[in-house]
């Protein structure tokens, strides 16, 4: 069963309609993300307020586990937009401290990439938790670019080579389906 029905609106641009809820999209939704690193959920809900610091795109758990938010992009080779996942990665205490020191420094874009472990499940890409990543600083006000560097992982391959629009639609279908808790 197709989750999205392809429709034409006044013979102009395509519209997508979710078969689960009927919501219409003027275009295929291509940006998804997580509000928290996966590790956040290992802390019982009643303890989160006292054990977790969450500000902007940074998260600290128990003053010893450090995470930052970034943007992982998969190029769509036959489309004018990319598939984007806003994800979390771990970051060492030293690099976290460096990021904090450079938070409002325009020269931060000159920093070497930070190594980390992916802390977000990226739908349809097998097991993505704790795969190797690097985070590349961007201009102030923009979250880092996240690159998967896990050798031979499907996410790394697609991020390096790009995907077709057809595959992007299949990925989005799976994401929307899981958000609606349908199979």
């Amino acid at each position: 069963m197709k989750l999205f029905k392809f429709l034409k609106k006044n013979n102009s641009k395509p519209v997508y309609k979710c078969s689960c809820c009927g919501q219409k999209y003027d275009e295929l939704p291509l940006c998804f993300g997580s509000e928290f690193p996966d590790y956040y959920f290992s802390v019982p809900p009643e303890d989160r307020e006292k054990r977790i610091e969450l500000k902007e795109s940074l998260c600290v758990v128990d003053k010893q586990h450090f995470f930052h938010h970034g943007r992982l992009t998969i190029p769509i080779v036959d489309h004018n937009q990319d598939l984007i996942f806003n994800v979390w990665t771990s970051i060492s205490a030293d690099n976290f401290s460096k990021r904090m020191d450079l938070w409002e420094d325009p020269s931060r874009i000159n920093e070497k990439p930070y190594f980390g472990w992916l802390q977000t499940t990226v739908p349809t890409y097998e097991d993505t938790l704790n795969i190797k990543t690097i985070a590349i600083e961007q201009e102030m006000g923009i979250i880092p670019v996240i690159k998967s560097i896990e050798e031979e992982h499907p996410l790394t391959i697609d991020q390096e080579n790009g995907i077709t629009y057809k595959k992007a639609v299949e990925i989005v279908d799976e994401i929307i389906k899981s958000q609606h808790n349908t199979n």
Side-chain angles (χ1 to χ4, degrees):
M1 175 174 86
K2 285 277 186 198
L3 187 63
F4 283 101
K5 293 180 181 176
F6 179 73
L7 305 170
K8 288 266 187 184
K9 188 160 89 174
N10 300 331
N11 289 332
S12 58
K13 79 183 203 184
V15 175
Y16 293 89
K17 181 178 180 183
C18 175
S19 64
C20 292
C21 68
Q23 182 174 350
K24 292 182 183 177
Y25 298 85
D26 288 336
E27 55 189 44
L28 186 67
L30 291 172
C31 187
F32 301 92
S34 177
E35 291 183 61
F36 311 102
D38 192 71
Y39 194 82
Y40 172 96
F41 299 103
S42 69
V43 176
E46 63 273 9
D47 294 341
R48 290 179 184 157
E49 190 174 322
K50 66 181 176 187
R51 293 178 52 195
I52 298 175
E53 291 179 62
L54 184 66
K55 285 189 176 180
E56 295 181 37
S57 61
L58 302 170
C59 180
V60 180
V61 179
D62 295 328
K63 297 181 181 174
Q64 60 183 350
H65 303 283
F66 304 91
F67 307 94
H68 60 152
H69 208 212
R71 176 162 288 170
L72 188 146
T73 301
I74 300 172
I76 302 174
V77 296
D78 54 349
H79 189 61
N80 63 353
Q81 293 179 310
D82 298 327
L83 181 58
I84 298 169
F85 293 97
N86 290 315
V87 298
W88 291 87
T89 67
S90 66
I91 186 171
S92 72
D94 288 343
N95 284 338
F96 185 86
S97 179
K98 185 189 294 187
R99 279 209 76 212
M100 294 302 293
D101 291 345
L102 296 172
W103 192 256
E104 295 184 11
D105 184 342
S107 70
R108 72 186 200 174
I109 62 171
N110 299 320
E111 287 299 307
K112 290 181 180 178
Y114 303 110
F115 176 82
W117 303 97
L118 191 60
Q119 286 297 302
T120 302
T121 299
V122 179
T124 76
Y125 280 99
E126 300 174 1
D127 185 11
T128 57
L129 287 181
N130 294 312
I131 65 171
K132 297 174 190 173
T133 63
I134 56 170
I136 303 163
E137 282 288 10
Q138 301 297 298
E139 296 174 9
M140 289 178 15
I142 300 176
I143 59 178
V145 168
I146 304 298
K147 297 276 186 188
S148 173
I149 59 169
E150 187 78 21
E151 290 185 26
E152 299 187 32
H153 192 282
L155 182 59
T156 304
I157 293 167
D158 282 356
Q159 194 174 31
E160 289 175 356
N161 300 324
I163 60 174
T164 64
Y165 184 76
K166 180 181 178 189
K167 183 170 181 179
V169 170
E170 291 168 359
I171 291 169
V172 170
D173 285 348
E174 286 299 314
I175 293 169
I176 299 295
K177 189 187 304 183
S178 70
Q179 289 176 346
H180 290 154
N181 296 319
T182 62
N183 295 319

